[in-house]
Amino acid sequence: MAMVDEPLYPIAVLIDELKNEDIQLRLNSIRRLSTIARALGEERTRKELIPFLSENNDDEDEVLLAMAEELGVFIPYVGGVEHAHVLLPPLETLSTVEETCVRDKAVESLCRIGAQMKENDIVDFFIPVVKRLASGEWFTARVSSCGLFHIAYPSATDPLKTELRTIYGQLCQDDMPMVRRAAASNLGKFAATVEQSHLKTEIMSIFDDLTQDDQDSVRLLAVEGCAALGKLLEPQDCVAHILPVIVNFSQDKSWRVRYMVANQLYELCEAVGPEPTRADLVPAYVRLLRDNEAEVRIAAAGKVTKFCRILSPQLAIQHILPCVKELSSDSSQHVRSALASVIMGMAPVLGKDATIAELLPIFLSLLKDEFPDVRLNIISKLDQVNQVIGIDLLSQSLLPAIVELAEDRHWRVRLAIIEYIPLLASQLGVGFFDDKLGALCMQWLEDKVFSIREAAANNLKRLAEEFGPEWAMQHIIPQVLEKINNPHYLYRMTILQAISLLAPVMGADITCQKLLPVVINSSKDRVPNIKFNVAKVLQSLVPILDQSVVDKTVKPCLVELSEDPDVDVRYYANQALQACDQIMMSS
Amino acid sequence: MNGTATPEPTEASAPTPQPPLDWRFSQVFGERGAGEDVQDVDIISAIEFNKTGHHLATGDRGGRVVLFERTDAKDHVSRKEAEKADYSISRHPEFRYKTEFQSHEPEFDYLKSLEIEEKINKIKWCQETNGASFLLSTNDKTIKFWKVQEKKVKKICEMNMNTSNAHVNGGPSTHVPNGGILKPGGLALLRMPVVVTSQETSLAANCRRVYAHAHDYHINSISNNSDGETFISADDLRINLWNLEISNQSFNIVDVKPTNMEDLTEVITSAEFHPSHCNTLAYSSSKGSIRLVDLRQSALCDTHSKLFEQHESAGSRSFFTEIIASISDIKFSMDGRHILSRDYMTLKLWDVNMDSGPVATFQVHEYLRPKLCDLYENDSIFDKFECCQSGDGLRVATGSYSNIFRVFNCGAGDSEVTTLEATRNPTRRQAQNPARPVRSMTRNVRRENTGIDANGNSYDLSTKLLHLAWHPAENLIACAAANSLYMYYG
């Protein structure tokens, strides 16, 4: 008979909470569905838990989403692959709800289960699900069905295959644009499972219909299909069927369609091969680079490097480079910015001579751009060009650009350039850095904006890592320590922060000799905020310092602070003292 | 056009190709009792039928949305039986109250020190799914996406941890779940909660998404795209494009804000998507122009593809010319071929293929023209009247003062005009006209062929009929008189 079911108690609660009023508890139960299933055993999971879930699917989206996800990995709990089909009904209902993310997850789980099911189970259970969804009354069901065909098709019998292809064709002509969009975006996956002979006939005619859809939103998804289908077809078929479509799309009335082409074109080039690329796609790409719509030019400009990589340098120089020149003085700053972020990548493609002759002037003009993002994008990719032509040719123009950005009135721009300083330092070398940039790095420590001061302190640490402690001892430490006498306490605080960051890089000796005295001195500061920051910094220094130093210098200072009139200072001093003791204990 | 439009004896000789419609009172919701004061929050501020015409939504100044549904279309069986029983029974669409919910609450924008009213400016129905209705509602600043669904009431009647906690105590359970046989052992005692679905249903409105913080000015229109995934929202100076599923990002597609606000001469008053071309939208301006925009041309649609405007001849220009030219509402016809626009004095029908001038102009209340000065003084001249068109495109309607609205026939050479008052007896005022026999008041609707004032000078500026909507498939007009929703069929 039943005993004291201590281990069952939590399970019982978990089961009850599937229907709790609190959504967090329901969510928790659903997330632990596998625990419930293990407790119930495979048979009761199949006969009770799964039917229960099928019936109780009018919950909040969050719960449904979790349910859809859990069911996708539930095969082991229902008794293995031969029972996998019991999971289909709840997922079928979930793939009809109106919330897209729930439907998508349900379809994903259905696919995951279907991929493991045996061939005859697919025919008996999975395909009927696909057919029911595809003929669903509401568009949500039909949308979901589109994502299941590629799982169902390979296991289907020949008559069923014909039926599935027909159904897919109907979905592509559905009244609802949502369904046609789903069919268009899943066409590539489905086509990959269809036999060559049908591919060329039925699938291509479905595809043709989609490419002529009234709805821009459908046509632009068909663009994606171009690349996917192109890769499935034999090269000559691809050239015959796909190429004209791409060329047409690249001149579509709708800028959104052209935008998609601009984004996808280099992939399409891979699909059609080198010869048609040269003859048809290069002209198409050139048109897109010169498109009327800035958004299209942005997309095209962003792909310029990737596109050039699949062309010969000669073609790139002949056709693409003139456009790049135009784009570097485009009226839209966003186009120039997109170009600046990729143009450095063209240097390795073009080789040293062409880079110096053709690209360098473009780099230089972009470095002088009035829009800071453009300049930043060039600077951020400096390493790429450095590999090809060396930094010398650029450095002269680089410095004014960096100085200007460093003093830009927008703090976010200043922040961005600080982040690139270590990269620049490594590319430009110590000599150049000392001459030109060192002063800037110190200047940022006294910026009006906290984020800049914070980044400046971090930057010093990264520079010290890059050039080593000896260099830092000469070029950073003295200057930093000097600033501890700044009359404003916020700037003094930045210096304390810099010290705590630099200490681990500099090592015990320098910390002890140079940094620690400054910190200890600051404990006499008149501002409590400085004092409790001293306590925090000391705490961070303890692991680096020798035990003797801690006992002789750090602790007395902390003890003094722990008797400070200010409550916060006392608090942090005590915290630091405790940390000292703990470290002592452990060592 | 439901077979109820029996030829009218008094007007049988009307020289119209189609028989004129006999407008009758159908229903009223929220009728005001005699002497009852209208609360400002109850005043209806938006009316919208859904695509099929089975549902109707109204919004009010108190931020509430009220839904109505058709009764006759739902009860198929009973209607068929009723028809069999008495074939001549007249059938016209009837609606019943379905549910209501609080869509918007008053808010305060602390950054701009601005009060945001809860008043519903517009409602639009979205694609129905899984038996649930979806709609967008907006106040001046925030658009919300609602799901209204009928749910069967469910009760949980058995739990593991409920009153008879025998299994927890370890004692043998006397209570057998689901009539099954209780096996020994703890595991068998675990059972799924039993949920009983009752026949009761409850309607629940859930706010699915909130599209906020995208408008610096007051939103005047929202409109769904035929692609089913996007919609626009328009304020005085900008039009934004949204994806229904993404509420934290929108794209500005039209911006008429001048760099210097002192150069501002024109604002956007209304915007609507083409009913079937996903790339076409129209917006109207305070200067009386309608611009057609092609979204395919560029991401920022600063240039229009077509401009519809009619210039007053120089001679008739006055101080008020520009004010009364301001368009308060535009509507595409169902087939997208025409655009109907309402300015202060007229209703104009434009052919989208003809930008030289409107194909028809209807005078709404010409008798007010001499009074424009008074109307300006008391701000009535800035009232924003809506307009609507019948699903078949044959008739148009718009409101006026004294709670009247007028229905015009837009067939060429046709001058059928009907004036109706939003009361239980739409022809009451005309009946007061001594030239008319009192006896005809229950049957007749006065039809005018001339443009003169129907009611003499007895117009009442405080009762204005701003909002009305035409059923998409039948001749049924729903209109708002203050807090009451009146429906008429023809």
Side-chain angles (χ1 to χ4, degrees):
Chain A
M1 286 309 288
M3 350 148 234
V4 182
D5 298 309
E6 283 300 337
L8 282 182
Y9 181 78
I11 303 280
V13 173
L14 217 48
I15 292 178
D16 282 356
E17 282 177 354
L18 282 170
K19 279 279 142 193
N20 197 288
E21 277 178 18
D22 182 350
I23 178 176
Q24 284 310 324
L25 294 178
R26 294 204 300 278
L27 204 52
N28 178 53
S29 282
I30 290 284
R31 293 235 171 272
R32 301 184 58 193
L33 219 48
S34 52
T35 311
I36 297 176
R38 263 200 299 267
L40 289 175
E42 291 167 359
E43 194 180 343
R44 289 192 64 194
T45 297
R46 288 197 300 272
K47 288 190 176 154
E48 292 172 40
L49 181 62
I50 300 297
F52 172 82
L53 294 175
S54 303
E55 281 162 27
N56 291 282
N57 51 20
D58 53 352
D59 211 324
E60 305 279 332
D61 298 327
E62 232 179 318
V63 179
L64 298 183
L65 182 67
M67 196 192 291
E69 193 169 1
E70 294 297 325
L71 288 174
V73 292
F74 227 60
I75 291 183
Y77 308 108
V78 293
V81 173
E82 56 266 39
H83 295 290
H85 61 87
V86 302
L87 296 170
L88 300 181
L91 285 169
E92 182 180 345
T93 341
L94 288 174
S95 52
T96 64
V97 301
E98 65 277 354
E99 190 55 45
T100 312
C101 61
V102 177
R103 277 198 324 261
D104 288 351
K105 187 57 80 180
V107 168
E108 192 188 314
S109 289
L110 278 173
C111 288
R112 188 178 286 195
I113 292 168
Q116 298 172 61
M117 284 169 75
K118 288 184 186 141
E119 215 157 83
N120 53 332
D121 281 349
I122 290 273
V123 174
D124 292 342
F125 301 104
F126 196 85
I127 292 178
V129 171
V130 178
K131 279 161 64 176
R132 266 198 304 278
L133 288 172
S135 59
E137 181 188 0
W138 304 103
F139 73 87
T140 47
R142 304 201 297 278
V143 164
S144 291
S145 74
C146 296
L148 299 172
F149 280 73
H150 67 286
I151 299 289
Y153 192 82
S155 307
T157 57
D158 277 345
L160 266 177
K161 279 185 172 173
T162 311
E163 198 184 344
L164 286 174
R165 286 195 306 273
T166 313
I167 295 174
Y168 204 88
Q170 285 160 358
L171 289 168
C172 289
Q173 299 187 339
D174 199 279
D175 285 341
M176 289 288 182
M178 300 80 148
V179 180
R180 300 204 300 277
R181 279 197 292 273
S185 51
N186 283 297
L187 185 64
K189 266 194 278 179
F190 178 48
T193 63
V194 174
E195 301 79 1
Q196 267 297 323
S197 55
H198 299 301
L199 193 62
K200 271 195 266 181
T201 52
E202 280 176 70
I203 299 294
M204 282 316 290
S205 93
I206 289 176
F207 176 68
D208 282 343
D209 289 342
L210 289 172
T211 60
Q212 285 158 30
D213 202 283
D214 296 337
Q215 289 276 347
D216 298 348
S217 55
V218 178
R219 282 205 311 284
L220 60 89
L221 289 171
V223 175
E224 287 180 37
C226 284
L229 282 176
K231 284 173 187 160
L232 299 172
L233 290 168
E234 285 156 28
Q236 72 269 24
D237 290 325
C238 183
V239 171
H241 297 293
I242 305 284
L243 194 61
V245 176
I246 299 170
V247 172
N248 260 336
F249 272 152
S250 75
Q251 302 170 65
D252 197 279
K253 266 192 192 167
S254 167
W255 69 267
R256 286 170 69 196
V257 173
R258 299 198 304 275
Y259 173 92
M260 287 297 273
V261 177
N263 259 329
Q264 308 258 325
L265 199 62
Y266 73 97
E267 260 187 73
L268 301 169
C269 293
E270 287 168 1
V272 296
E275 190 49 44
T277 294
R278 183 167 16 199
D280 293 301
L281 293 184
V282 170
Y285 185 62
V286 167
R287 266 198 306 275
L288 293 169
L289 285 170
R290 293 180 170 146
D291 200 278
N292 281 328
E293 172 55 43
E295 295 285 341
V296 178
R297 294 200 303 277
I298 291 172
K303 301 289 179 197
V304 100
T305 297
K306 278 187 169 171
F307 199 83
C308 284
R309 273 193 205 130
I310 53 176
L311 296 179
S312 65
Q314 195 196 345
L315 274 177
I317 292 168
Q318 195 186 339
H319 296 286
I320 309 297
L321 209 52
C323 298
V324 170
K325 272 184 199 159
E326 288 170 32
L327 291 175
S328 69
S329 55
D330 195 281
S331 58
S332 160
Q333 60 191 37
H334 302 291
V335 174
R336 300 197 304 274
S337 176
L339 182 70
S341 66
V342 297
I343 190 176
M344 297 310 242
M346 283 180 75
V349 179
L350 297 183
K352 188 167 180 176
D353 291 345
T355 300
I356 292 174
E358 308 284 345
L359 271 186
L360 195 58
I362 300 176
F363 292 158
L364 296 180
S365 89
L366 289 172
L367 255 184
K368 293 188 194 107
D369 200 282
E370 53 176 350
F371 187 55
D373 275 14
V374 179
R375 282 173 274 155
L376 275 175
N377 283 345
I378 287 284
I379 288 172
S380 68
K381 299 286 166 58
L382 212 56
D383 48 338
Q384 289 175 348
V385 74
N386 197 10
Q387 286 160 12
V388 183
I389 57 166
I391 209 76
D392 303 344
L393 280 166
L394 269 182
S395 59
Q396 279 202 322
S397 334
L398 211 51
L399 192 68
I402 295 169
V403 172
E404 212 173 297
L405 288 166
E407 288 164 354
D408 197 283
R409 62 190 184 86
H410 296 292
W411 67 268
R412 286 175 203 280
V413 175
R414 298 202 295 276
L415 186 62
I417 188 74
I418 294 177
E419 316 242 296
Y420 293 126
I421 288 291
L423 169 77
L424 287 169
S426 69
Q427 297 292 318
L428 296 165
V430 176
F432 185 89
F433 184 86
D434 287 349
D435 288 352
K436 320 283 183 189
L437 298 180
L440 277 177
C441 293
M442 291 303 149
Q443 185 186 320
W444 282 319
L445 280 175
E446 289 170 327
D447 200 280
K448 279 186 187 138
V449 177
F450 171 75
S451 294
I452 300 295
R453 297 198 299 273
E454 190 187 29
N458 243 317
N459 178 44
L460 292 180
K461 178 191 136 197
R462 287 164 71 190
L463 286 173
E465 285 168 349
E466 176 75 35
F467 294 141
E470 267 174 48
W471 174 87
M473 204 37 229
Q474 276 201 331
H475 295 92
I476 295 183
I477 303 293
Q479 289 90 330
V480 170
L481 296 185
E482 216 171 87
K483 291 183 197 292
I484 197 71
N485 297 318
N486 193 304
H488 199 302
Y489 84 97
L490 286 174
Y491 298 115
R492 297 201 295 278
M493 220 138 87
T494 307
I495 301 307
L496 284 177
Q497 192 197 356
I499 289 175
S500 84
L501 286 167
L502 283 167
V505 187
M506 303 306 288
D509 284 350
I510 295 176
T511 305
C512 192
Q513 287 162 22
K514 295 281 175 185
L515 304 180
L516 190 61
V518 175
V519 180
I520 298 289
N521 255 337
S522 297
S523 71
K524 305 274 191 299
D525 204 288
R526 64 200 146 78
V527 179
N529 294 43
I530 295 291
K531 287 194 274 187
F532 76 66
N533 271 291
V534 165
K536 283 185 184 171
V537 172
L538 286 176
Q539 184 179 340
S540 76
L541 296 185
V542 167
I544 309 167
L545 295 169
D546 283 339
Q547 190 57 48
S548 59
V549 181
V550 173
D551 288 339
K552 243 181 16 208
T553 326
V554 176
K555 271 192 166 176
C557 176
L558 286 173
V559 169
E560 197 178 314
L561 286 174
S562 70
E563 287 155 8
D564 196 89
D566 188 274
V567 60
D568 290 322
V569 177
R570 290 200 302 274
Y571 173 79
Y572 283 106
N574 281 320
Q575 291 264 304
L577 280 171
Q578 277 176 17
C580 288
D581 292 343
Q582 269 169 10
I583 288 168
M584 238 164 53
M585 303 256 281
S586 61
S587 67
Chain B
M1 311 285 248
N2 306 323
T4 55
T6 46
E8 218 179 322
T10 52
E11 302 281 339
S13 60
T16 54
Q18 323 113 9
L21 289 178
D22 177 18
W23 287 95
R24 293 164 192 235
F25 169 78
S26 164
Q27 279 176 292
V28 59
F29 292 96
E31 191 178 23
R32 182 153 51 126
E36 191 184 324
D37 274 346
V38 178
Q39 298 293 312
D40 188 62
V41 289
D42 293 331
I43 292 176
I44 295 174
S45 55
I47 300 183
E48 190 80 17
F49 280 105
N50 80 339
K51 222 166 153 188
T52 57
H54 288 309
H55 297 277
L56 173 68
T58 64
D60 65 25
R61 292 198 190 178
R64 282 162 301 191
V65 171
V66 185
L67 303 184
F68 301 90
E69 65 184 347
R70 254 182 99 154
T71 51
D72 51 336
K74 268 212 152 176
D75 313 327
H76 284 298
V77 185
S78 61
R79 201 195 77 220
K80 268 181 193 160
E81 280 169 359
E83 275 174 353
K84 263 182 210 163
D86 180 3
Y87 194 72
S88 68
I89 203 164
S90 80
R91 185 181 72 83
H92 62 270
E94 274 196 30
F95 284 78
R96 69 173 160 226
Y97 169 88
K98 190 176 174 194
T99 186
E100 68 178 83
F101 57 90
Q102 189 72 36
S103 168
H104 287 71
E105 303 273 0
E107 281 176 88
F108 193 80
D109 182 340
Y110 292 96
L111 281 178
K112 293 180 183 154
S113 216
L114 267 180
E115 266 180 67
I116 303 168
E117 282 182 49
E118 68 272 35
K119 178 185 151 222
I120 305 293
N121 287 349
K122 282 276 155 37
I123 297 174
K124 291 286 166 188
W125 290 88
C126 302
Q127 189 60 51
E128 202 173 317
T129 319
N130 295 334
S133 299
F134 293 86
L135 36 88
L136 288 167
S137 63
T138 186
N139 66 355
D140 285 339
K141 296 285 176 189
T142 308
I143 307 151
K144 294 184 179 179
F145 184 52
W146 292 91
K147 174 188 179 187
V148 183
Q149 192 177 31
E150 201 163 302
K151 277 188 174 175
K152 290 232 161 88
V153 176
K154 288 187 174 177
K155 277 186 195 146
I156 301 139
C157 65
E158 272 186 60
M159 302 284 267
N160 288 308
M161 312 300 297
N162 64 4
T163 49
S164 74
N165 45 6
H167 58 295
V168 177
N169 295 336
S173 174
T174 47
H175 135 182
V176 180
N178 305 335
I181 297 156
L182 199 62
K183 285 179 203 150
L187 262 183
L189 291 168
L190 284 180
R191 52 174 181 262
M192 303 310 298
V194 176
V195 179
V196 177
T197 310
S198 74
Q199 283 309 304
E200 276 176 71
T201 59
S202 72
L203 271 164
N206 280 318
C207 183
R208 308 284 296 189
R209 271 177 254 285
V210 177
Y211 313 87
H213 312 302
H215 285 278
D216 287 336
Y217 305 90
H218 288 182
I219 299 174
N220 55 47
S221 332
I222 45 177
S223 175
N224 305 80
N225 191 304
S226 57
D227 66 9
E229 70 172 350
T230 55
F231 71 93
I232 48 165
S233 57
D235 68 24
D236 296 343
L237 297 178
R238 298 193 178 101
I239 302 178
N240 292 336
L241 179 70
W242 301 83
N243 187 310
L244 274 168
E245 304 209 335
I246 301 165
S247 57
N248 58 3
Q249 170 188 12
S250 71
F251 298 93
N252 178 237
I253 49 171
V254 176
D255 188 349
V256 300
K257 187 178 176 181
T259 19
N260 183 356
M261 277 300 266
E262 282 172 14
D263 300 335
L264 183 70
T265 56
E266 192 174 18
V267 296
I268 299 168
T269 54
S270 170
E272 191 173 50
F273 263 121
H274 189 283
S276 54
H277 296 172
C278 61
N279 45 47
T280 307
L281 75 88
Y283 68 93
S284 62
S285 81
S286 57
K287 274 190 163 172
S289 45
I290 301 167
R291 288 178 174 85
L292 211 58
V293 167
D294 186 348
L295 296 178
R296 291 175 302 186
Q297 271 179 344
S298 67
L300 240 179
C301 305
D302 287 337
T303 51
H304 51 263
S305 55
K306 255 180 194 167
L307 175 67
F308 304 90
E309 57 186 352
Q310 189 179 37
H311 294 288
E312 288 282 314
S313 55
S316 61
R317 288 189 68 85
S318 72
F319 172 73
F320 303 109
T321 308
E322 252 188 42
I323 300 174
I324 61 171
S326 177
I327 294 177
S328 51
D329 191 24
I330 53 168
K331 294 270 161 67
F332 270 103
S333 62
M334 289 262 262
D335 59 3
R337 175 68 193 268
H338 294 97
I339 298 172
L340 183 66
S341 71
R342 167 73 204 259
D343 54 46
Y344 192 62
M345 296 301 288
T346 67
L347 198 56
K348 292 190 175 83
L349 190 68
W350 305 81
D351 183 333
V352 294
N353 296 329
M354 186 176 100
D355 49 10
S356 57
V359 287
T361 303
F362 309 99
Q363 308 295 339
V364 179
H365 36 216
E366 203 52 23
Y367 55 91
L368 290 179
R369 202 173 280 278
K371 306 281 190 306
L372 285 176
C373 200
D374 300 340
L375 294 164
Y376 178 73
E377 296 275 305
N378 63 22
D379 279 354
S380 295
I381 204 165
F382 301 108
D383 284 336
K384 305 220 171 299
F385 291 98
E386 289 181 357
C387 56
C388 59
Q389 188 167 21
S390 61
D392 55 17
L394 294 175
R395 289 180 180 80
V396 294
T398 192
S400 176
Y401 294 101
S402 314
N403 272 347
I404 63 160
F405 66 97
R406 309 190 78 198
V407 184
F408 303 91
N409 189 321
C410 34
D414 199 314
S415 52
E416 176 200 336
V417 183
T418 314
T419 304
L420 298 153
E421 188 191 7
T423 58
R424 277 182 181 274
N425 178 2
T427 59
R428 184 174 59 106
R429 294 175 78 89
Q430 285 77 33
Q432 284 165 354
N433 187 332
R436 286 257 155 196
V438 176
R439 289 184 45 187
S440 69
M441 67 179 256
T442 52
R443 279 204 48 102
N444 289 358
V445 175
R446 171 169 168 145
R447 210 158 276 125
E448 306 161 72
N449 292 316
T450 55
I452 54 150
D453 169 22
N455 313 317
N457 290 324
S458 63
Y459 54 86
D460 174 5
L461 294 179
S462 67
T463 53
K464 44 198 168 201
L465 197 151
L466 300 175
H467 308 284
L468 79 179
W470 202 306
H471 190 279
E474 309 205 30
N475 285 322
L476 177 87
I477 293 179
C479 60
N483 60 337
S484 317
L485 175 69
Y486 284 92
M487 293 197 224
Y488 301 93
Y489 68 97

